[in-house]
């Protein structure tokens, strides 16, 4: 009998547990009618909310809260601009102020992160935008990769003979983009001269525009075009700095370091680049590098193969022997000594 009572409880109709008002509706309308009535009530309620404008007023109230106030000056850059970038963080933010003026000042909740990304992509100091995120309550964090200087070039090489202190350097990145113009005798100019690669033998631009590629003036055209020799030399400069940072510059048997910090295009030909280093005895070791990294032909060793040949040639004592006139070159079979051109 106990079991029968228990079974009876378990099989009690759902209506026994309904609220009285719901039981009444089910009794009057039936299950389907009750369901339809509930849906209609919900739809009517939501419609009344929309018609009254309550959601919009609630949204406006939230977005107008003072803790969400935002301006361009509050953007946090990650990481902070490098020390060589003389304008600093304030200058980078100033560069995006105009394209973002429609959002500044305003609520961070209304900020279009896509517009922020596009604004930073157009800043020439920025190489890549890695990410943008909001941080409560009103911060915006922008993660950037900055362009890195790899080479310098004298703006007026002839000035060195008359007044070297007045000579300026142009600072370029690995694409040949002009990043800055520095006096040779400035602290940053001296630092770059000891750390970066010197480009020589390039046609010096008459009108220097910071943030633009190294120009090539074509006599048959009135427009300025990017100089392919400068681009090729800048790519090689980046390669040499990257490899030396990883492997170190080649060393002789006696432990003397041989840093190749000079690149010279042959008569402005981007397909034929030279690197050189002045030895302690005053003699200059010239190396025919040929094509810039990534531009080698099928019969030319790759950049990394040339680098390994150069290091092995120096460390094995090739540089310790008397050097005949000419330059070191590379073939698919190994390094060779080339006669003067």
């Amino acid at each position: 009998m106990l079991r029968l009572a228990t079974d009876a409880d378990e099989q009690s109709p759902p209506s026994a547990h309904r609220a009285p008002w719901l039981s009444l509706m089910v009794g009057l309308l039936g299950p389907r009618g009750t369901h339809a009535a509930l849906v209609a009530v919900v739809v009517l309620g939501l419609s009344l909310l929309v018609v009254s404008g309550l959601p919009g007023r609630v949204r406006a109230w939230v977005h107008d809260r003072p803790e969400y106030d935002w301006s361009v000056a509050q953007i946090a850059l990650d990481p902070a601009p490098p020390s060589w970038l003389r304008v600093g963080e304030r200058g980078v933010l100033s560069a995006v102020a105009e394209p973002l003026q429609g959002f500044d000042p305003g609520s961070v909740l209304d900020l279009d992160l896509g517009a922020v990304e596009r604004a930073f992509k157009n800043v020439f100091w920025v190489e890549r935008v890695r990410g943008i995120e909001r941080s409560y309550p009103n911060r915006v964090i922008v993660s950037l990769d900055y362009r890195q200087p790899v080479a310098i070039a004298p703006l007026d090489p002839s000035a060195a003979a008359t007044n070297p202190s007045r000579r300026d350097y142009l600072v370029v990145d690995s694409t040949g983009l002009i990043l800055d113009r520095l006096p040779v005798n400035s602290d940053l100019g001296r630092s770059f001269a000891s750390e970066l690669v010197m480009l020589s033998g390039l046609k010096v631009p008459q009108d220097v525009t910071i943030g633009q590629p190294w120009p090539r003036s074509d006599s048959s055209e009135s427009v300025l075009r990017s100089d392919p020799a400068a681009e090729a030399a800048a790519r090689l400069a980046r390669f040499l700095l990257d490899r030396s940072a990883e492997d170190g510059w080649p060393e002789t048997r006696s432990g003397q370091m041989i840093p190749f910090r000079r690149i010279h295009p042959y008569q402005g030909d981007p397909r034929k680049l030279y690197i050189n280093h002045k030895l302690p005895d005053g003699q200059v070791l010239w190396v025919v590098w040929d094509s810039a990294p990534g531009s080698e032909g099928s019969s030319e060793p790759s950049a990394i193969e040339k680098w390994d040949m150069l290091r092995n040639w120096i460390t094995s004592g090739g540089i310790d022997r008397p050097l005949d006139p000419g330059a070191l070159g590379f073939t698919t079979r190994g390094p060779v000594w080339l006669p003067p051109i």
Side-chain angles (χ1 to χ4, degrees), residues 138-337:
N138 64 343
R139 295 186 69 208
V140 175
I141 302 173
V142 181
S143 300
L144 302 173
D145 288 336
Y146 299 93
R147 292 186 181 274
Q148 295 297 320
V150 299
I152 56 176
L155 182 60
D156 185 6
S158 62
T162 56
N163 191 347
S165 64
R166 297 184 60 185
R167 186 174 57 169
D168 287 348
Y169 286 143
L170 294 181
V171 184
V172 300
D173 77 343
S174 59
T175 67
L177 190 79
I178 299 175
L179 298 176
D180 206 347
R181 175 177 177 170
L182 297 170
V184 170
N185 61 350
S186 65
D187 290 340
L188 193 54
R190 286 190 290 268
S191 174
F192 280 165
S194 63
E195 297 172 1
L196 304 183
V197 175
M198 177 74 72
L199 306 183
S200 60
L202 292 172
K203 184 176 181 180
V204 180
Q206 295 297 318
D207 297 318
V208 177
T209 304
I210 306 301
Q212 296 295 322
W214 189 288
R216 181 184 70 179
S217 185
D218 195 312
S219 59
S220 62
E221 299 178 8
S222 59
V223 298
L224 290 176
R225 296 186 297 159
S226 178
D227 188 346
E231 292 178 6
R235 288 212 313 273
L236 178 53
R238 174 66 177 268
F239 174 84
L240 293 174
L241 292 180
D242 286 348
R243 297 315 307 173
S244 64
E246 185 169 339
D247 304 332
W249 290 109
E251 293 186 2
T252 65
R253 288 177 173 177
S254 60
Q256 179 187 353
M257 185 182 298
I258 308 295
F260 290 91
R261 294 190 181 274
R262 283 186 172 272
I263 298 176
H264 188 104
Y266 175 68
Q267 295 182 353
D269 186 349
R271 297 165 299 178
K272 200 172 192 63
L273 300 170
Y274 289 81
I275 62 177
N276 66 56
H277 173 71
K278 190 174 183 179
L279 302 173
D281 61 4
Q283 193 173 11
V284 177
L285 171 61
W286 286 87
V287 178
V288 182
W289 190 272
D290 279 336
S291 303
S295 301
E296 299 89 355
S298 58
S299 61
E300 185 180 350
S302 67
I304 197 67
E305 290 172 331
K306 295 174 188 176
W307 172 258
D308 289 339
M309 290 181 199
L310 178 60
R311 287 176 57 84
N312 292 335
W313 183 81
I314 292 175
T315 57
S316 63
I319 196 174
D320 298 324
R321 295 187 289 272
L323 301 179
D324 296 328
L328 184 70
F330 305 104
T331 69
T332 54
R333 297 187 299 275
V336 295
W337 191 259

Side-chain angles (χ1 to χ4, degrees), residues 41-59:
V41 169
V42 171
V43 171
L44 178 61
L46 292 176
S47 300
L48 290 174
L49 285 176
V50 172
V51 171
S52 67
L54 183 59
R57 288 199 294 270
V58 171
R59 181 183 183 278

Side-chain angles (χ1 to χ4, degrees), residues 21-22 25 29 31-45:
W21 65 270
L22 186 57
M25 288 186 65
L29 303 175
R32 292 186 178 180
T34 300
H35 177 72
L38 290 175
V39 171
V41 169
V42 171
V43 171
L44 178 61

